[in-house]
Amino acid sequence: MFEFPALLLIGFIVGLGGALIPGPLLAFVIFDASRKRKVTGHFIIAGHALWEALIIFLILFGLGSLMLHYKIFIYAFGGAALVFMGFSMIRRVSQVEIKSSRVNSSLLGGVFYTAFNPTQPPWWASAGLALLLQGYELMGNIGILTVTIGHWLADLTYYVIVSYVTCRFGRFVAPRLRQISLLLGGFVAALGAYFIINGLIT
């Protein structure tokens, strides 16, 4: 009777804990909302959830340990992709008003900045797997779905708020769009470099 709200709450809290850690997805949400000057967080999280659903599917079919085994390659490839994306944001900084950027779609941006975040597969194969098992033990497949929904609700809530605040205070953001883009691009590139180094020394 109480399993459903309990699992939903567990998924939400765990998801919120992950969402609050600054990463490439947060940078893209701020960049995208600033550039388009509208709330786009829900579209970005839809893309984020699509990719995570694929990761969860693969883990449930036994690929979790394989992902951990090849963690060094995941960090190296994902880190390199983030470095490229960060420098791309910096290179296009003078064209942030142009709508023909490489990742113009908020939905696809959510997919890309999740797919190339190298912490995603290891997290789902370890801490995320424990979360899924907790749900399964209490409610079977419905429990897995419940904790996953709770996790996505946390992401949706947080990133929509971030997106809204970025737009709400757009009059302060717009004049500084160039500087914000440079800062976020540099952050994503630096994060990618950190992941590459972390993968090499792990």
Side-chain angles (χ1 to χ4, degrees), residues 108-131:
L108 290 180
V111 173
F112 291 149
Y113 281 87
T114 302
F116 293 108
N117 181 354
T119 64
Q120 280 288 309
W123 188 90
W124 276 109
S126 52
L129 181 59
L131 179 66

Side-chain angles (χ1 to χ4, degrees), residues 32-102:
D32 196 54
S34 300
R35 178 183 56 173
K36 296 179 179 176
R37 297 179 187 174
K38 63 180 181 180
V39 177
T40 59
H42 51 300
F43 291 117
I44 294 171
I45 292 306
H48 171 76
L50 282 174
W51 183 261
E52 285 199 330
L54 174 61
I55 294 295
I56 293 170
F57 177 81
L58 293 175
I59 288 172
L60 292 179
F61 277 82
L63 293 182
S65 59
L66 188 64
M67 290 179 181
L68 287 177
H69 185 69
Y70 289 100
K71 186 165 65 174
I72 183 173
F73 298 105
I74 293 173
Y75 273 103
F77 180 73
L82 288 180
V83 170
F84 173 77
M85 289 178 181
F87 279 114
S88 293
M89 289 172 67
I90 294 172
R91 184 171 54 84
R92 295 195 307 268
V93 72
S94 61
Q95 301 175 317
V96 291
E97 299 294 339
I98 299 175
K99 299 301 182 179
S100 60
S101 64
R102 193 164 295 163

